[in-house]
PDB file of all heavy atoms in Angstrom:
ATOM      1  N   ALA A  52     109.203 106.843  82.505  1.00 85.00           N
ATOM      2  CA  ALA A  52     108.886 108.291  82.175  1.00 85.00           C
ATOM      3  C   ALA A  52     110.153 109.111  81.920  1.00 85.00           C
ATOM      4  O   ALA A  52     110.109 109.934  81.075  1.00 85.00           O
ATOM      5  CB  ALA A  52     108.088 108.898  83.361  1.00 85.00           C
ATOM      6  N   ALA A  53     111.248 108.754  82.695  1.00 85.00           N
ATOM      7  CA  ALA A  53     112.434 109.519  82.522  1.00 85.00           C
ATOM      8  C   ALA A  53     113.317 109.067  81.306  1.00 85.00           C
ATOM      9  O   ALA A  53     114.339 109.688  80.992  1.00 85.00           O
ATOM     10  CB  ALA A  53     113.292 109.433  83.818  1.00 85.00           C
ATOM     11  N   LYS A  54     112.851 107.896  80.728  1.00 85.00           N
ATOM     12  CA  LYS A  54     113.539 107.371  79.587  1.00 85.00           C
ATOM     13  C   LYS A  54     114.961 107.054  79.831  1.00 85.00           C
ATOM     14  O   LYS A  54     115.900 107.286  78.956  1.00 85.00           O
ATOM     15  CB  LYS A  54     113.440 108.319  78.354  1.00 85.00           C
ATOM     16  CG  LYS A  54     112.045 108.464  77.771  1.00 85.00           C
ATOM     17  CD  LYS A  54     112.034 109.352  76.543  1.00 85.00           C
ATOM     18  CE  LYS A  54     110.720 109.263  75.824  1.00 85.00           C
ATOM     19  NZ  LYS A  54     109.582 109.768  76.530  1.00 85.00           N
ATOM     20  N   THR A  55     115.243 106.580  81.082  1.00 83.00           N
ATOM     21  CA  THR A  55     116.607 106.138  81.403  1.00 83.00           C
ATOM     22  C   THR A  55     116.928 104.807  80.616  1.00 83.00           C
ATOM     23  O   THR A  55     115.952 104.167  80.117  1.00 83.00           O
ATOM     24  CB  THR A  55     116.760 105.807  82.910  1.00 83.00           C
ATOM     25  OG1 THR A  55     115.868 104.784  83.246  1.00 83.00           O
ATOM     26  CG2 THR A  55     116.488 107.063  83.781  1.00 83.00           C
ATOM     27  N   GLU A  56     118.082 104.457  80.595  1.00 84.00           N
ATOM     28  CA  GLU A  56     118.552 103.227  79.863  1.00 84.00           C
ATOM     29  C   GLU A  56     117.744 102.039  80.417  1.00 84.00           C
ATOM     30  O   GLU A  56     117.139 101.198  79.663  1.00 84.00           O
ATOM     31  CB  GLU A  56     119.952 103.003  79.968  1.00 84.00           C
ATOM     32  CG  GLU A  56     120.550 101.906  78.931  1.00 84.00           C
ATOM     33  CD  GLU A  56     122.061 101.697  79.068  1.00 84.00           C
ATOM     34  OE1 GLU A  56     122.767 102.527  79.736  1.00 84.00           O
ATOM     35  OE2 GLU A  56     122.480 100.621  78.551  1.00 84.00           O
ATOM     36  N   ALA A  57     117.809 101.945  81.779  1.00 82.00           N
ATOM     37  CA  ALA A  57     117.083 100.781  82.397  1.00 82.00           C
ATOM     38  C   ALA A  57     115.569 100.901  82.190  1.00 82.00           C
ATOM     39  O   ALA A  57     114.913  99.954  81.974  1.00 82.00           O
ATOM     40  CB  ALA A  57     117.386 100.774  83.920  1.00 82.00           C
ATOM     41  N   GLY A  58     115.093 102.207  82.246  1.00 83.00           N
ATOM     42  CA  GLY A  58     113.644 102.444  82.053  1.00 83.00           C
ATOM     43  C   GLY A  58     113.161 102.061  80.647  1.00 83.00           C
ATOM     44  O   GLY A  58     112.083 101.434  80.551  1.00 83.00           O
ATOM     45  N   LEU A  59     113.966 102.290  79.655  1.00 86.00           N
ATOM     46  CA  LEU A  59     113.602 101.943  78.285  1.00 86.00           C
ATOM     47  C   LEU A  59     113.663 100.363  78.131  1.00 86.00           C
ATOM     48  O   LEU A  59     112.817  99.801  77.438  1.00 86.00           O
ATOM     49  CB  LEU A  59     114.559 102.558  77.235  1.00 86.00           C
ATOM     50  CG  LEU A  59     114.469 104.102  77.147  1.00 86.00           C
ATOM     51  CD1 LEU A  59     115.503 104.674  76.305  1.00 86.00           C
ATOM     52  CD2 LEU A  59     113.071 104.461  76.555  1.00 86.00           C
ATOM     53  N   LEU A  60     114.526  99.739  78.826  1.00 87.00           N
ATOM     54  CA  LEU A  60     114.561  98.226  78.775  1.00 87.00           C
ATOM     55  C   LEU A  60     113.372  97.719  79.392  1.00 87.00           C
ATOM     56  O   LEU A  60     112.656  96.790  78.901  1.00 87.00           O
ATOM     57  CB  LEU A  60     115.785  97.783  79.604  1.00 87.00           C
ATOM     58  CG  LEU A  60     117.082  97.519  78.792  1.00 87.00           C
ATOM     59  CD1 LEU A  60     118.181  97.151  79.826  1.00 87.00           C
ATOM     60  CD2 LEU A  60     116.929  96.348  77.914  1.00 87.00           C
ATOM     61  N   VAL A  61     113.022  98.366  80.572  1.00 84.00           N
ATOM     62  CA  VAL A  61     111.718  97.911  81.273  1.00 84.00           C
ATOM     63  C   VAL A  61     110.550  98.013  80.384  1.00 84.00           C
ATOM     64  O   VAL A  61     109.699  97.195  80.279  1.00 84.00           O
ATOM     65  CB  VAL A  61     111.590  98.721  82.623  1.00 84.00           C
ATOM     66  CG1 VAL A  61     110.148  98.606  83.119  1.00 84.00           C
ATOM     67  CG2 VAL A  61     112.535  98.358  83.650  1.00 84.00           C
ATOM     68  N   LYS A  62     110.493  99.206  79.676  1.00 85.00           N
ATOM     69  CA  LYS A  62     109.315  99.537  78.874  1.00 85.00           C
ATOM     70  C   LYS A  62     109.101  98.502  77.766  1.00 85.00           C
ATOM     71  O   LYS A  62     108.063  98.054  77.403  1.00 85.00           O
ATOM     72  CB  LYS A  62     109.519 100.941  78.232  1.00 85.00           C
ATOM     73  CG  LYS A  62     108.266 101.406  77.519  1.00 85.00           C
ATOM     74  CD  LYS A  62     108.521 102.825  76.946  1.00 85.00           C
ATOM     75  CE  LYS A  62     107.246 103.274  76.243  1.00 85.00           C
ATOM     76  NZ  LYS A  62     107.578 104.465  75.450  1.00 85.00           N
ATOM     77  N   SER A  63     110.227  98.042  77.135  1.00 87.00           N
ATOM     78  CA  SER A  63     110.144  97.022  76.108  1.00 87.00           C
ATOM     79  C   SER A  63     109.504  95.719  76.649  1.00 87.00           C
ATOM     80  O   SER A  63     108.854  95.063  75.896  1.00 87.00           O
ATOM     81  CB  SER A  63     111.512  96.769  75.484  1.00 87.00           C
ATOM     82  OG  SER A  63     112.407  96.125  76.462  1.00 87.00           O
ATOM     83  N   TYR A  64     109.688  95.379  77.860  1.00 86.00           N
ATOM     84  CA  TYR A  64     109.111  94.180  78.387  1.00 86.00           C
ATOM     85  C   TYR A  64     107.733  94.353  78.762  1.00 86.00           C
ATOM     86  O   TYR A  64     106.793  93.559  78.479  1.00 86.00           O
ATOM     87  CB  TYR A  64     109.887  93.630  79.616  1.00 86.00           C
ATOM     88  CG  TYR A  64     111.188  93.036  79.275  1.00 86.00           C
ATOM     89  CD1 TYR A  64     112.408  93.762  79.390  1.00 86.00           C
ATOM     90  CD2 TYR A  64     111.300  91.737  78.803  1.00 86.00           C
ATOM     91  CE1 TYR A  64     113.616  93.281  79.039  1.00 86.00           C
ATOM     92  CE2 TYR A  64     112.634  91.186  78.450  1.00 86.00           C
ATOM     93  CZ  TYR A  64     113.771  91.964  78.622  1.00 86.00           C
ATOM     94  OH  TYR A  64     114.912  91.443  78.230  1.00 86.00           O
ATOM     95  N   VAL A  65     107.405  95.562  79.427  1.00 79.00           N
ATOM     96  CA  VAL A  65     106.068  95.857  79.900  1.00 79.00           C
ATOM     97  C   VAL A  65     105.163  95.953  78.694  1.00 79.00           C
ATOM     98  O   VAL A  65     104.034  95.482  78.781  1.00 79.00           O
ATOM     99  CB  VAL A  65     106.134  97.230  80.740  1.00 79.00           C
ATOM    100  CG1 VAL A  65     104.662  97.667  80.966  1.00 79.00           C
ATOM    101  CG2 VAL A  65     106.801  96.972  81.998  1.00 79.00           C
ATOM    102  N   GLU A  66     105.567  96.566  77.561  1.00 80.00           N
ATOM    103  CA  GLU A  66     104.700  96.713  76.457  1.00 80.00           C
ATOM    104  C   GLU A  66     104.299  95.414  75.832  1.00 80.00           C
ATOM    105  O   GLU A  66     103.299  95.290  75.178  1.00 80.00           O
ATOM    106  CB  GLU A  66     105.366  97.666  75.409  1.00 80.00           C
ATOM    107  CG  GLU A  66     105.250  99.112  75.742  1.00 80.00           C
ATOM    108  CD  GLU A  66     105.990 100.113  74.844  1.00 80.00           C
ATOM    109  OE1 GLU A  66     106.829  99.519  73.994  1.00 80.00           O
ATOM    110  OE2 GLU A  66     105.649 101.325  74.802  1.00 80.00           O
ATOM    111  N   LYS A  67     105.271  94.460  75.985  1.00 80.00           N
ATOM    112  CA  LYS A  67     104.889  93.085  75.405  1.00 80.00           C
ATOM    113  C   LYS A  67     104.106  92.221  76.416  1.00 80.00           C
ATOM    114  O   LYS A  67     103.862  91.113  76.169  1.00 80.00           O
ATOM    115  CB  LYS A  67     106.183  92.400  75.040  1.00 80.00           C
ATOM    116  CG  LYS A  67     107.006  93.059  73.842  1.00 80.00           C
ATOM    117  CD  LYS A  67     108.270  92.324  73.639  1.00 80.00           C
ATOM    118  CE  LYS A  67     109.179  93.109  72.737  1.00 80.00           C
ATOM    119  NZ  LYS A  67     110.593  92.942  73.015  1.00 80.00           N
ATOM    120  N   GLY A  68     103.859  92.836  77.634  1.00 74.00           N
ATOM    121  CA  GLY A  68     103.148  92.034  78.607  1.00 74.00           C
ATOM    122  C   GLY A  68     104.043  90.982  79.232  1.00 74.00           C
ATOM    123  O   GLY A  68     103.532  89.934  79.822  1.00 74.00           O
ATOM    124  N   MET A  69     105.327  91.166  79.182  1.00 78.00           N
ATOM    125  CA  MET A  69     106.269  90.202  79.754  1.00 78.00           C
ATOM    126  C   MET A  69     106.788  90.650  81.131  1.00 78.00           C
ATOM    127  O   MET A  69     106.733  91.786  81.405  1.00 78.00           O
ATOM    128  CB  MET A  69     107.495  90.050  78.761  1.00 78.00           C
ATOM    129  CG  MET A  69     107.098  89.469  77.489  1.00 78.00           C
ATOM    130  SD  MET A  69     108.483  89.678  76.273  1.00 78.00           S
ATOM    131  CE  MET A  69     109.711  88.595  76.874  1.00 78.00           C
ATOM    132  N   LEU A  70     107.128  89.632  81.994  1.00 80.00           N
ATOM    133  CA  LEU A  70     107.833  89.947  83.252  1.00 80.00           C
ATOM    134  C   LEU A  70     109.098  90.575  83.029  1.00 80.00           C
ATOM    135  O   LEU A  70     109.912  90.089  82.124  1.00 80.00           O
ATOM    136  CB  LEU A  70     107.934  88.695  84.071  1.00 80.00           C
ATOM    137  CG  LEU A  70     106.529  88.171  84.730  1.00 80.00           C
ATOM    138  CD1 LEU A  70     106.831  86.803  85.351  1.00 80.00           C
ATOM    139  CD2 LEU A  70     106.109  89.117  85.786  1.00 80.00           C
ATOM    140  N   VAL A  71     109.433  91.576  83.780  1.00 86.00           N
ATOM    141  CA  VAL A  71     110.775  92.181  83.622  1.00 86.00           C
ATOM    142  C   VAL A  71     111.824  91.238  84.242  1.00 86.00           C
ATOM    143  O   VAL A  71     111.717  90.831  85.424  1.00 86.00           O
ATOM    144  CB  VAL A  71     110.834  93.561  84.348  1.00 86.00           C
ATOM    145  CG1 VAL A  71     112.151  94.247  84.187  1.00 86.00           C
ATOM    146  CG2 VAL A  71     109.719  94.519  83.867  1.00 86.00           C
ATOM    147  N   PRO A  72     112.829  90.884  83.460  1.00 90.00           N
ATOM    148  CA  PRO A  72     113.806  89.877  83.972  1.00 90.00           C
ATOM    149  C   PRO A  72     114.696  90.477  85.101  1.00 90.00           C
ATOM    150  O   PRO A  72     114.807  91.688  85.301  1.00 90.00           O
ATOM    151  CB  PRO A  72     114.692  89.473  82.717  1.00 90.00           C
ATOM    152  CG  PRO A  72     114.399  90.568  81.665  1.00 90.00           C
ATOM    153  CD  PRO A  72     113.150  91.282  81.994  1.00 90.00           C
ATOM    154  N   ASP A  73     115.215  89.518  85.855  1.00 92.00           N
ATOM    155  CA  ASP A  73     116.106  89.902  87.026  1.00 92.00           C
ATOM    156  C   ASP A  73     117.195  90.927  86.709  1.00 92.00           C
ATOM    157  O   ASP A  73     117.384  91.909  87.436  1.00 92.00           O
ATOM    158  CB  ASP A  73     116.746  88.626  87.586  1.00 92.00           C
ATOM    159  CG  ASP A  73     115.728  87.744  88.339  1.00 92.00           C
ATOM    160  OD1 ASP A  73     114.622  88.134  88.420  1.00 92.00           O
ATOM    161  OD2 ASP A  73     116.151  86.634  88.756  1.00 92.00           O
ATOM    162  N   HIS A  74     117.936  90.684  85.655  1.00 90.00           N
ATOM    163  CA  HIS A  74     119.068  91.575  85.442  1.00 90.00           C
ATOM    164  C   HIS A  74     118.626  92.995  85.067  1.00 90.00           C
ATOM    165  O   HIS A  74     119.298  93.990  85.424  1.00 90.00           O
ATOM    166  CB  HIS A  74     119.988  91.032  84.217  1.00 90.00           C
ATOM    167  CG  HIS A  74     119.354  91.081  82.851  1.00 90.00           C
ATOM    168  ND1 HIS A  74     119.595  92.155  82.022  1.00 90.00           N
ATOM    169  CD2 HIS A  74     118.499  90.295  82.278  1.00 90.00           C
ATOM    170  CE1 HIS A  74     118.894  91.973  80.940  1.00 90.00           C
ATOM    171  NE2 HIS A  74     118.200  90.784  81.007  1.00 90.00           N
ATOM    172  N   VAL A  75     117.432  93.149  84.545  1.00 89.00           N
ATOM    173  CA  VAL A  75     116.920  94.492  84.231  1.00 89.00           C
ATOM    174  C   VAL A  75     116.381  95.176  85.583  1.00 89.00           C
ATOM    175  O   VAL A  75     116.634  96.301  85.822  1.00 89.00           O
ATOM    176  CB  VAL A  75     115.762  94.464  83.147  1.00 89.00           C
ATOM    177  CG1 VAL A  75     115.160  95.874  82.963  1.00 89.00           C
ATOM    178  CG2 VAL A  75     116.267  93.881  81.928  1.00 89.00           C
ATOM    179  N   MET A  76     115.692  94.360  86.337  1.00 91.00           N
ATOM    180  CA  MET A  76     115.152  94.818  87.625  1.00 91.00           C
ATOM    181  C   MET A  76     116.299  95.289  88.552  1.00 91.00           C
ATOM    182  O   MET A  76     116.228  96.385  89.157  1.00 91.00           O
ATOM    183  CB  MET A  76     114.285  93.827  88.358  1.00 91.00           C
ATOM    184  CG  MET A  76     112.882  93.659  87.929  1.00 91.00           C
ATOM    185  SD  MET A  76     111.935  95.277  88.028  1.00 91.00           S
ATOM    186  CE  MET A  76     111.793  95.543  89.790  1.00 91.00           C
ATOM    187  N   THR A  77     117.290  94.400  88.674  1.00 92.00           N
ATOM    188  CA  THR A  77     118.416  94.832  89.572  1.00 92.00           C
ATOM    189  C   THR A  77     119.184  96.105  89.009  1.00 92.00           C
ATOM    190  O   THR A  77     119.619  96.914  89.799  1.00 92.00           O
ATOM    191  CB  THR A  77     119.400  93.634  89.792  1.00 92.00           C
ATOM    192  OG1 THR A  77     119.795  93.188  88.431  1.00 92.00           O
ATOM    193  CG2 THR A  77     118.721  92.525  90.497  1.00 92.00           C
ATOM    194  N   ARG A  78     119.237  96.154  87.680  1.00 88.00           N
ATOM    195  CA  ARG A  78     119.919  97.307  87.103  1.00 88.00           C
ATOM    196  C   ARG A  78     119.140  98.638  87.485  1.00 88.00           C
ATOM    197  O   ARG A  78     119.755  99.711  87.578  1.00 88.00           O
ATOM    198  CB  ARG A  78     119.999  97.127  85.576  1.00 88.00           C
ATOM    199  CG  ARG A  78     121.015  98.019  84.901  1.00 88.00           C
ATOM    200  CD  ARG A  78     121.405  97.328  83.602  1.00 88.00           C
ATOM    201  NE  ARG A  78     121.770  98.348  82.619  1.00 88.00           N
ATOM    202  CZ  ARG A  78     121.846  98.082  81.356  1.00 88.00           C
ATOM    203  NH1 ARG A  78     121.639  96.776  80.850  1.00 88.00           N
ATOM    204  NH2 ARG A  78     122.124  98.951  80.441  1.00 88.00           N
ATOM    205  N   LEU A  79     117.814  98.509  87.529  1.00 87.00           N
ATOM    206  CA  LEU A  79     116.973  99.636  87.832  1.00 87.00           C
ATOM    207  C   LEU A  79     117.027  99.926  89.383  1.00 87.00           C
ATOM    208  O   LEU A  79     117.167 101.057  89.752  1.00 87.00           O
ATOM    209  CB  LEU A  79     115.545  99.396  87.396  1.00 87.00           C
ATOM    210  CG  LEU A  79     114.554 100.421  87.647  1.00 87.00           C
ATOM    211  CD1 LEU A  79     114.548 101.517  86.555  1.00 87.00           C
ATOM    212  CD2 LEU A  79     113.129  99.905  87.726  1.00 87.00           C
ATOM    213  N   MET A  80     116.909  98.909  90.183  1.00 91.00           N
ATOM    214  CA  MET A  80     116.694  99.125  91.615  1.00 91.00           C
ATOM    215  C   MET A  80     118.016  99.358  92.410  1.00 91.00           C
ATOM    216  O   MET A  80     118.045 100.162  93.298  1.00 91.00           O
ATOM    217  CB  MET A  80     116.015  97.826  92.212  1.00 91.00           C
ATOM    218  CG  MET A  80     114.612  97.647  91.742  1.00 91.00           C
ATOM    219  SD  MET A  80     113.446  98.962  92.211  1.00 91.00           S
ATOM    220  CE  MET A  80     113.449  98.834  93.915  1.00 91.00           C
ATOM    221  N   LEU A  81     119.009  98.603  92.013  1.00 91.00           N
ATOM    222  CA  LEU A  81     120.336  98.690  92.921  1.00 91.00           C
ATOM    223  C   LEU A  81     120.928 100.137  92.953  1.00 91.00           C
ATOM    224  O   LEU A  81     121.288 100.570  94.038  1.00 91.00           O
ATOM    225  CB  LEU A  81     121.324  97.575  92.522  1.00 91.00           C
ATOM    226  CG  LEU A  81     120.880  96.167  92.796  1.00 91.00           C
ATOM    227  CD1 LEU A  81     122.017  95.142  92.616  1.00 91.00           C
ATOM    228  CD2 LEU A  81     120.265  95.994  94.250  1.00 91.00           C
ATOM    229  N   PRO A  82     120.996 100.751  91.771  1.00 89.00           N
ATOM    230  CA  PRO A  82     121.538 102.142  91.891  1.00 89.00           C
ATOM    231  C   PRO A  82     120.653 103.050  92.799  1.00 89.00           C
ATOM    232  O   PRO A  82     121.217 103.955  93.433  1.00 89.00           O
ATOM    233  CB  PRO A  82     121.523 102.633  90.424  1.00 89.00           C
ATOM    234  CG  PRO A  82     121.539 101.388  89.600  1.00 89.00           C
ATOM    235  CD  PRO A  82     120.815 100.337  90.406  1.00 89.00           C
ATOM    236  N   LYS A  83     119.399 102.868  92.669  1.00 87.00           N
ATOM    237  CA  LYS A  83     118.450 103.705  93.617  1.00 87.00           C
ATOM    238  C   LYS A  83     118.723 103.438  95.027  1.00 87.00           C
ATOM    239  O   LYS A  83     118.846 104.357  95.863  1.00 87.00           O
ATOM    240  CB  LYS A  83     117.005 103.262  93.283  1.00 87.00           C
ATOM    241  CG  LYS A  83     116.534 103.533  91.895  1.00 87.00           C
ATOM    242  CD  LYS A  83     116.022 104.929  91.754  1.00 87.00           C
ATOM    243  CE  LYS A  83     115.410 105.230  90.356  1.00 87.00           C
ATOM    244  NZ  LYS A  83     115.247 106.661  90.038  1.00 87.00           N
ATOM    245  N   LEU A  84     119.023 102.135  95.342  1.00 91.00           N
ATOM    246  CA  LEU A  84     119.259 101.746  96.757  1.00 91.00           C
ATOM    247  C   LEU A  84     120.621 102.300  97.223  1.00 91.00           C
ATOM    248  O   LEU A  84     120.757 102.566  98.385  1.00 91.00           O
ATOM    249  CB  LEU A  84     119.075 100.242  96.969  1.00 91.00           C
ATOM    250  CG  LEU A  84     117.671  99.677  96.730  1.00 91.00           C
ATOM    251  CD1 LEU A  84     117.700  98.166  96.807  1.00 91.00           C
ATOM    252  CD2 LEU A  84     116.772 100.166  97.822  1.00 91.00           C
ATOM    253  N   GLU A  85     121.562 102.222  96.316  1.00 90.00           N
ATOM    254  CA  GLU A  85     122.928 102.774  96.635  1.00 90.00           C
ATOM    255  C   GLU A  85     122.800 104.224  97.021  1.00 90.00           C
ATOM    256  O   GLU A  85     123.502 104.672  97.899  1.00 90.00           O
ATOM    257  CB  GLU A  85     123.874 102.520  95.526  1.00 90.00           C
ATOM    258  CG  GLU A  85     124.425 101.129  95.415  1.00 90.00           C
ATOM    259  CD  GLU A  85     125.464 100.965  94.298  1.00 90.00           C
ATOM    260  OE1 GLU A  85     126.402 101.713  94.273  1.00 90.00           O
ATOM    261  OE2 GLU A  85     125.261 100.007  93.452  1.00 90.00           O
TER     262      GLU A  85
END
Side-chain angles (χ1 to χ4, degrees):
K54 295 186 166 63
T55 61
E56 193 183 345
L59 292 171
L60 267 173
V61 165
K62 190 178 180 192
S63 68
Y64 288 98
V65 170
E66 283 178 344
K67 292 176 194 147
M69 294 163 69
L70 284 171
V71 180
D73 288 353
H74 71 95
V75 177
M76 275 306 292
T77 52
R78 197 157 149 194
L79 181 82
M80 295 296 294
L81 294 188
K83 299 271 185 194
L84 293 172
E85 281 185 52

